[in-house]
Amino acid sequence: MFHRKTSPAAGSGHGGGFVRKVALGAVAALTLVATAQAGASAAPASDPAPAPGPAPAPAAEPAQWVVLGDSYTSGEFVGNPSPALGNPGRDGCDRTAGAYPSLVERKLAADPPGGRAVKLTDVSCGGATIKEITTDRQTPVSPVEPPEGGWPSLSPQIGRSALGAGTDVVTISAGGNSLPFSKMFVSCLIGGIGQSDGAAPCRDAYEANGPVFDPESIQTKYDRVTREYAAMLRAVHQKAPGAKVITVGYPTIVPSDPATCDRQDSSELAADVQGLGRISVTHGDIAWLNGVNTHLNALIKALTKLSGDTYIDIAAPSVGHDACQPRARKWVEGICGEGGPYWPQETALGLVTLSCPDDERATLMHPNSTGQADTATRVEAAVRNALK
């Protein structure tokens, strides 16, 4: 305590100094009380709240994943249709909830890569050719709930997918319809009428100038598909320069050993054709068709690598799970097989109409739910890697 030396006022003595000290002490005490009361009325008795911390960072924008492709991507008869039956948004492309894009989407939603959500834009469409992904309009041919007058045509997939600078990942599965494999298969079915197992009339025709039903040689087809596929990859990179591009090959559809195929079994590669009865592809042509599928995958893989993109091999893991395997082993349905109840039992392919037994659907050698699930596992890993 500091003491200040002062001169006593006139008439004062030691008693006056004492009085002043008491008075000053009283004032100080009153001041402390008043301050405490004011503080008590202005704030709660509890400890003051801590100062607010920094505002949380805004959530990252979802990664944009675009899916381009044909019926091996859309799913057709596997799982519930998407959009659902009766939905006015149906476009005739036959996308389903059991197809690999939907399966992967659900996995990514449950466990987002790096904690970042992923937004899927799937414009895959049954029957799509390479050019219908890039430059040509497509008129869908879905047999499920077609509108009166048929399905309206659709703009190329890279346009209606909103592919652009904000796209992070693109997956593509295309090429089979550009051969086109379905027309080739019908040619092989008809060419097999009355032929022995070892004959290969379809191979012989396509390695010359093409059969009557499809007058284009196989080498001409390979050359054309190569040009179209390369142009498609360029177009995708131009539209989405920052995207990681992943191409998806085709599974092993028919076996390399045709002896495993029963030429009378419609759940494999035989078909009931109106006016012709049950017909089938010869074993010689089955082996050749396996080689066509292998060659197509090799083209896709080579072009993908040249573009600096990622290729997913579906054929190798599906060996032994082709359309000629027993029900428990097949990942690809035969001409007839298991499909959703909405899927038809007969279908027109060019000049012929194929019919299936009452308990089967016209599955036309497409992946079943097991095949789609296997592809989903591989695509999910590739998409996660691309988004690291």
Side-chain angles (χ1 to χ4, degrees):
M1 185 173 186
F2 293 93
H3 298 277
R4 186 175 54 181
K5 185 177 180 180
T6 60
S7 300
S12 66
H14 293 294
F18 175 77
V19 171
R20 282 198 300 274
K21 289 179 182 179
V22 171
L24 289 173
V27 172
L30 290 172
T31 301
L32 289 173
V33 170
T35 302
Q37 290 176 339
S41 64
S46 59
D47 292 338
E61 288 292 323
Q64 301 294 318
W65 171 30
V66 170
V67 172
L68 312 174
D70 55 25
S71 55
Y72 275 60
T73 299
S74 67
E76 292 207 324
F77 53 80
V78 180
N80 295 324
S82 179
L85 298 179
N87 188 307
R90 288 181 58 77
D91 56 7
C93 286
D94 291 322
R95 291 179 294 276
T96 65
Y100 73 78
S102 291
L103 298 178
V104 175
E105 179 184 31
R106 294 196 286 274
K107 289 288 188 68
L108 297 177
D111 180 18
R116 185 184 182 193
V118 178
K119 182 180 183 298
L120 168 66
T121 301
D122 181 3
V123 294
S124 61
C125 194
T129 64
I130 295 170
K131 283 190 171 183
E132 287 166 347
I133 288 176
T134 54
T135 59
D136 295 355
R137 298 185 68 85
Q138 178 184 0
T139 301
V141 293
S142 171
V144 182
E145 294 186 340
E148 185 176 352
W151 296 102
S153 69
L154 301 171
S155 59
Q157 290 185 23
I158 62 171
R160 68 178 190 273
S161 68
L163 202 67
T167 304
D168 296 285
V169 183
V170 182
T171 55
I172 310 170
S173 176
N177 292 317
S178 294
L179 285 172
F181 196 84
S182 60
K183 182 182 286 188
M184 294 175 65
F185 190 80
V186 169
S187 297
C188 293
L189 273 174
I190 295 174
I193 297 174
Q195 298 286 335
S196 65
D197 285 350
C202 193
R203 176 200 65 195
D204 295 343
Y206 274 110
E207 291 187 353
N209 298 314
V212 173
F213 300 102
D214 186 11
E216 185 182 42
S217 73
I218 189 62
Q219 190 56 55
T220 301
K221 289 179 181 294
Y222 291 150
D223 292 343
R224 176 174 51 75
V225 168
T226 298
R227 294 191 300 271
E228 292 173 357
Y229 205 95
M232 176 186 67
L233 291 177
R234 288 195 299 271
V236 168
H237 279 289
Q238 288 169 0
K239 281 275 190 178
K244 301 288 183 64
V245 177
I246 301 167
T247 65
V248 183
Y250 289 92
T252 298
I253 301 170
V254 299
S256 57
D257 179 8
T260 60
C261 295
D262 182 350
R263 290 187 66 188
Q264 295 303 310
D265 191 344
S266 63
S267 70
E268 296 183 10
L269 304 178
D272 289 324
V273 177
Q274 294 177 6
L276 295 175
R278 181 157 293 191
I279 62 178
S280 65
V281 181
T282 67
H283 285 176
D285 280 337
I286 290 171
W288 180 74
L289 286 170
N290 176 268
V292 170
N293 191 49
T294 300
H295 194 101
L296 176 61
N297 278 331
L299 287 178
I300 295 172
K301 180 178 181 179
L303 292 168
T304 300
K305 297 300 182 184
L306 283 173
S307 293
D309 300 320
T310 299
Y311 172 75
I312 300 179
D313 182 4
I314 304 299
S318 59
V319 169
H321 300 283
D322 56 79
C324 289
Q325 299 304 312
R327 162 60 46 203
R329 284 189 55 80
K330 66 171 60 185
W331 293 358
V332 177
E333 297 296 312
I335 291 178
C336 300
E338 292 186 347
Y342 52 84
W343 200 250
Q345 292 177 286
E346 68 175 34
T347 187
L349 291 177
L351 300 175
V352 302
T353 298
L354 309 181
S355 301
C356 295
D358 289 343
D359 60 342
E360 295 182 336
R361 305 287 163 174
T363 47
L364 302 179
M365 300 179 299
H366 280 76
N368 56 27
S369 58
T370 308
Q372 289 284 353
D374 180 79
T375 300
T377 298
R378 301 173 198 287
V379 172
E380 179 191 354
V383 170
R384 287 185 183 278
N385 186 60
L387 292 175
K388 283 182 178 178

